[in-house]
Amino acid sequence: MTAEGFSFTELGRDGDARTGVLTTSRARIETPVFMPVGTQASIKGLTPAEVEATGARIVLANTYHLWLRPGPERIERLGGVQRFMRWPHALLTDSGGYQVFSLSELRKITDDGVAFRSHLDGAKKMLTPEESMRVQAALGSDIAMVLDECPPGGAERDLIVSAMRRTSAWARRSLETPRPAWQARFGIVQGGTQVDLRIQHLEDIASLDVEGVALGGFSVGEPIEDMYRALAEVAPRMPRERPRYLMGVGTPFDLLEAIGRGIDMFDCVLPTRNGRNGQALTWHGRVNMKQARHVDDESPLDPDCGCPVCMTYSRAYLRHLFNVEEMLGPRLLSEHNLWFYAALTRAARQAIADQDYDRFARDTTQRMRDGDEVGRVA
Amino acid sequence: MTAEGFSFTELGRDGDARTGVLTTSRARIETPVFMPVGTQASIKGLTPAEVEATGARIVLANTYHLWLRPGPERIERLGGVQRFMRWPHALLTDSGGYQVFSLSELRKITDDGVAFRSHLDGAKKMLTPEESMRVQAALGSDIAMVLDECPPGGAERDLIVSAMRRTSAWARRSLETPRPAWQARFGIVQGGTQVDLRIQHLEDIASLDVEGVALGGFSVGEPIEDMYRALAEVAPRMPRERPRYLMGVGTPFDLLEAIGRGIDMFDCVLPTRNGRNGQALTWHGRVNMKQARHVDDESPLDPDCGCPVCMTYSRAYLRHLFNVEEMLGPRLLSEHNLWFYAALTRAARQAIADQDYDRFARDTTQRMRDGDEVGRVA
């Protein structure tokens, strides 16, 4: 059964790339779309109004973090994550599984779920498919992800197969758990970079009553070419009538590549994390704002960007902010980077509508490679 | 000679309290006024547009910090501090002296100036009255402060007298140094908390060709009652036709007290520094946003505040941001605190215009004391 108010419509195609509209009870989202990450119910350093101004209409929050603090019961009493953080559009929550694997201590995976200790206070916790859905229901997201097991990049084939089997079983248990009427549920496909396993698992997950299909277990340490190769085979086979979500990816190059294969949705901490560390992503590649080269440079960060940061400040000033460790620097670069990701997906949508996606992706990739400043002499 | 475009007009009085208009070549500023501090050419965490929205039309930057990084020559090439940081209104710079005394190492004061080592890299530097004016000219501020010697709170009388003598000599040397035609210069009165010394030094400084008169050496560790007692005697004796500036002060209580004595201008890091540390200043006293008491509280930080933070977020969410150390928390409380300081001085101006200042100050002080939450059980 489809969640109330949820729909996805493919609007156009250009090769495997496609545009669409994803509708939830709270927002209308044009795809391909990048979802900014608000791990702890805050896009780091930015207000919801600033995130909205980039064009974003859906953000992601992390179930693991909010489960521990301030807790799902509390957030539910306060009206859900969106009301809590004053984000007026759509929200996707992950299952909590990925963070349990990457952050918690002493985790033990069984068919029942994952036993672990909180990375904050060592408290014993148990994440099961049912608990994940219960927590996500309390968080009130528009889209919930089912709990999956994500093996590390380069894992042995039998470990991947075992994770697939468990992920399939957990998906079924998740779907049997009650949910808010408006909450859509996305299934997750595992299978590492092995195309046959991916296709096999995709068939199983796609057979379930899920409103969307996600690819998990990518960008977890494997060579990027292996991800690209698998994506080329797997993404076009994903159900056409449902949104396709590539979890935790990625760089601007990754987005252009995956959009070309038919992916609709992305999330990644890269634009905000790198922004905090002084790295800007632009139409002309990466810029390290900490470098002394900018010290007298009155030009904007990216002359081809229309974001408030590029319209207002000079490279000289941005470099000064990072040089003297002013908190405005991380804030402004995070804002710019999210604008850039939004502009990149907007341009991709236009290129698909214009039946010109391959040329757009190739030219944009080339321009970003040619202009990339990271690695040049400071 | 008065700086081009500079003027001060007293508009109204209520007892010793007064309202006025301070005009520089870049801004029209209603007094009494609080000036937000942008030490390193950035009001920590906030954009110029956000600072402007509080009502601020003048901010302060610290000469010592900008002298060291990015350097006055660089800032001058980039069009001055205001163009550098994109602040479209007025700027006051201090002389650098106070920070040399409080931050640098191995300082040695002679009649010539202060020899010291940079707190950043240990480089040997020399701050003289002439150098301070040269640097402030390059920074391009609307108002420059002359270099003074600020003895510590509770200093012996002969040390205070010596600092007064040196401050007077340095003021004269400062005024003989070339300046931009539009740059006003304020003299600084020392004298500790000893009223006779303050009055004696005030007479000397007020006799100079300075566009404004400041009280330095307050709020440097002395008991607050001693400052209040001295202010009551000294402030009303300051020249009526020139703006009166109480440097580095203070709490909302201090502002109300000093405005009642006829002070026109204030600056302090308190609203932004305390905001970063989780302390909000409100019409009902201080609120520690880190306390667990707020965890389920859907009410705004201050129901009597119209700032964007109080109009948007709940105490529960603000507490969460501090609890999980999200950078949005320090940013939002800094914004709120600057709005509160602006609203407090705006209300003071209205009360003076209404001939009702004493009642306003008494009631506001009482309300802030009665409602103060700091110190209550968390």
Side-chain angles (χ1 to χ4, degrees):
Chain A
M1 222 177 66
T2 303
E4 283 174 12
F6 186 92
S7 69
F8 176 77
T9 309
E10 185 182 288
L11 294 182
R13 292 191 78 92
D14 179 17
D16 285 328
R18 63 186 197 159
T19 57
V21 173
L22 172 66
T23 306
T24 77
S25 64
R26 293 196 188 90
R28 179 184 181 280
I29 300 142
E30 296 181 58
T31 63
V33 64
F34 177 82
M35 301 181 283
V37 177
T39 293
Q40 305 187 111
S42 170
I43 316 293
K44 290 193 189 303
L46 303 180
T47 62
E50 284 158 358
V51 175
E52 181 183 42
T54 68
R57 294 296 178 266
I58 182 168
V59 299
L60 181 148
N62 287 122
T63 291
Y64 172 79
H65 289 84
L66 296 174
W67 189 26
L68 299 183
R69 294 186 303 190
E73 294 76 16
R74 175 156 286 131
I75 286 189
E76 186 168 35
R77 279 198 302 276
L78 293 167
V81 170
Q82 281 130 303
R83 180 169 161 71
F84 184 52
M85 69 183 286
R86 304 297 194 254
W87 169 249
H89 305 294
L91 175 75
L92 182 147
T93 45
D94 64 2
S95 69
Y98 187 81
Q99 267 79 23
V100 166
F101 294 124
S102 59
L103 291 179
S104 71
E105 290 161 10
L106 297 167
R107 57 197 171 274
K108 184 163 187 288
I109 309 178
T110 63
D111 284 346
D112 189 29
V114 196
F116 67 98
R117 286 181 182 275
S118 157
H119 75 292
L120 296 171
D121 60 3
K124 275 190 181 175
K125 305 276 282 180
M126 179 79 188
L127 184 63
T128 63
E130 293 80 7
E131 178 67 3
S132 175
M133 295 313 286
R134 184 190 75 78
V135 172
Q136 292 183 75
L139 297 180
S141 52
D142 298 72
I143 301 172
M145 302 301 299
V146 301
L147 184 64
D148 64 329
E149 182 183 346
C150 177
E156 298 289 325
R157 189 173 171 96
D158 54 356
L159 185 66
I160 296 174
V161 170
S162 151
M164 286 161 50
R165 186 188 55 74
R166 208 169 254 152
T167 297
S168 285
W170 287 358
R172 285 171 172 80
R173 282 165 56 191
S174 297
L175 297 178
E176 284 159 15
T177 307
R179 60 160 161 177
W182 76 82
Q183 193 174 56
R185 297 169 303 197
F186 281 20
I188 301 177
V189 176
Q190 290 292 343
T193 52
Q194 313 211 13
V195 171
D196 63 322
L197 294 183
R198 281 279 174 186
I199 292 173
Q200 178 191 328
H201 200 225
L202 169 60
E203 282 170 7
D204 182 55
I205 296 297
S207 75
L208 301 177
D209 181 24
V210 290
E211 282 93 342
V213 176
L215 302 178
F218 277 124
S219 207
V220 289
E222 77 281 10
I224 200 68
E225 299 73 26
D226 292 354
M227 177 175 92
Y228 287 181
R229 200 175 307 117
L231 270 183
E233 296 295 327
V234 176
R237 289 182 163 88
M238 296 173 80
R240 195 162 161 178
E241 74 287 359
R242 286 181 274 184
R244 303 157 167 178
Y245 168 24
L246 179 57
M247 300 178 77
V249 175
T251 67
F253 301 114
D254 296 343
L255 265 62
L256 291 174
E257 175 71 23
I259 289 170
R261 302 310 183 181
I263 295 292
D264 306 307
M265 301 168 70
F266 303 88
D267 81 277
C268 193
V269 296
L270 192 149
T272 40
R273 177 175 291 167
N274 289 27
R276 289 198 301 284
N277 294 330
Q279 187 183 86
L281 290 311
T282 80
W283 292 106
H284 305 277
R286 297 168 300 171
V287 179
N288 181 348
M289 281 315 315
K290 294 181 171 177
Q291 289 186 335
R293 65 163 67 214
H294 310 297
V295 78
D296 287 313
D297 190 345
E298 292 202 70
S299 65
L301 171 50
D302 183 351
D304 293 333
C305 176
C307 87
V309 180
C310 290
M311 297 299 281
T312 307
Y313 303 97
S314 66
R315 285 184 172 214
Y317 184 64
L318 294 172
R319 190 268 176 184
H320 167 71
L321 293 178
F322 278 95
N323 189 45
V324 301
E325 296 178 16
E326 279 287 342
M327 57 193 284
L328 188 59
R331 171 185 160 180
L332 293 180
L333 278 208
S334 297
E335 185 178 16
H336 163 83
N337 284 352
L338 286 185
W339 272 82
F340 173 65
Y341 268 62
L344 186 70
T345 50
R346 206 154 42 229
R349 294 196 295 268
Q350 188 61 52
I352 296 167
D354 295 343
Q355 300 290 309
D356 191 30
Y357 185 75
D358 280 351
R359 192 201 53 79
F360 162 79
R362 197 172 52 242
D363 289 359
T364 303
T365 298
Q366 195 60 49
R367 197 182 329 133
M368 291 193 299
R369 287 202 198 287
D370 290 347
D372 197 79
E373 293 185 14
V374 171
R376 289 193 200 170
V377 175
Chain B
M1 224 177 65
T2 302
E4 283 174 13
F6 185 92
S7 69
F8 175 77
T9 309
E10 184 182 288
L11 294 182
R13 293 189 78 91
D14 179 17
D16 285 329
R18 63 185 198 160
T19 57
V21 173
L22 173 66
T23 307
T24 77
S25 64
R26 294 195 186 92
R28 179 185 181 279
I29 300 142
E30 296 182 58
T31 63
V33 65
F34 177 80
M35 301 182 283
V37 177
T39 294
Q40 303 186 113
S42 169
I43 315 292
K44 291 193 189 302
L46 303 179
T47 61
E50 285 158 358
V51 176
E52 181 183 43
T54 68
R57 294 296 178 268
I58 181 167
V59 298
L60 181 147
N62 287 122
T63 292
Y64 172 79
H65 289 85
L66 296 173
W67 189 27
L68 298 183
R69 294 187 302 191
E73 293 76 16
R74 175 156 287 132
I75 287 189
E76 186 168 35
R77 278 199 302 276
L78 293 167
V81 171
Q82 281 130 302
R83 181 170 161 72
F84 185 53
M85 70 183 284
R86 305 298 193 250
W87 170 249
H89 305 294
L91 175 74
L92 182 147
T93 44
D94 64 2
S95 70
Y98 187 80
Q99 266 79 25
V100 166
F101 294 124
S102 59
L103 291 179
S104 72
E105 290 161 11
L106 298 167
R107 58 197 170 275
K108 185 165 186 289
I109 309 177
T110 63
D111 285 346
D112 189 29
V114 196
F116 66 99
R117 286 181 182 275
S118 157
H119 75 291
L120 296 171
D121 61 3
K124 275 191 181 175
K125 305 276 282 181
M126 179 80 188
L127 184 63
T128 63
E130 293 80 9
E131 177 68 2
S132 175
M133 295 313 286
R134 185 190 74 78
V135 172
Q136 293 183 75
L139 298 180
S141 52
D142 298 73
I143 300 173
M145 302 302 299
V146 300
L147 183 65
D148 64 329
E149 181 184 345
C150 176
E156 297 291 324
R157 189 172 171 96
D158 55 355
L159 185 66
I160 297 174
V161 170
S162 150
M164 286 161 50
R165 187 189 54 76
R166 207 169 253 153
T167 296
S168 285
W170 287 357
R172 285 173 172 79
R173 281 164 57 190
S174 297
L175 296 178
E176 283 159 16
T177 308
R179 59 160 164 179
W182 75 83
Q183 192 175 55
R185 297 168 303 197
F186 280 21
I188 300 176
V189 176
Q190 290 293 342
T193 53
Q194 314 210 12
V195 171
D196 63 322
L197 294 183
R198 281 279 172 186
I199 292 173
Q200 178 190 329
H201 200 224
L202 169 60
E203 282 171 8
D204 183 54
I205 296 297
S207 75
L208 301 177
D209 181 25
V210 291
E211 282 93 343
V213 176
L215 303 178
F218 278 124
S219 206
V220 289
E222 78 281 10
I224 200 69
E225 299 73 27
D226 292 354
M227 177 175 91
Y228 287 0
R229 199 175 309 117
L231 271 182
E233 297 295 325
V234 176
R237 290 184 163 87
M238 296 173 80
R240 196 162 161 178
E241 73 288 358
R242 285 181 275 184
R244 303 155 167 180
Y245 168 26
L246 179 55
M247 300 180 77
V249 175
T251 68
F253 302 114
D254 296 342
L255 265 61
L256 290 173
E257 176 71 23
I259 289 170
R261 302 309 184 182
I263 296 292
D264 306 307
M265 302 168 69
F266 302 89
D267 81 278
C268 192
V269 297
L270 193 150
T272 40
R273 176 175 292 166
N274 290 25
R276 289 199 301 284
N277 294 330
Q279 187 182 86
L281 290 310
T282 80
W283 291 105
H284 305 276
R286 297 168 301 171
V287 179
N288 181 347
M289 281 317 313
K290 293 181 172 176
Q291 289 186 336
R293 66 163 67 212
H294 310 297
V295 77
D296 287 314
D297 191 346
E298 293 202 70
S299 65
L301 170 49
D302 184 351
D304 294 333
C305 177
C307 87
V309 180
C310 291
M311 298 300 280
T312 306
Y313 303 97
S314 66
R315 285 185 171 213
Y317 183 64
L318 295 172
R319 191 268 176 186
H320 166 72
L321 293 178
F322 278 95
N323 189 44
V324 301
E325 296 177 16
E326 279 286 343
M327 58 194 282
L328 187 58
R331 171 184 159 180
L332 293 180
L333 278 209
S334 297
E335 185 177 17
H336 162 83
N337 284 353
L338 287 185
W339 272 81
F340 174 65
Y341 268 63
L344 185 70
T345 50
R346 206 153 42 229
R349 293 196 295 267
Q350 188 61 52
I352 295 166
D354 295 343
Q355 300 291 308
D356 192 32
Y357 185 75
D358 281 351
R359 193 200 55 78
F360 162 79
R362 199 172 50 241
D363 290 358
T364 303
T365 298
Q366 195 59 49
R367 198 183 327 133
M368 291 192 300
R369 287 203 199 286
D370 291 346
D372 197 79
E373 292 184 15
V374 171
R376 289 192 200 170
V377 176

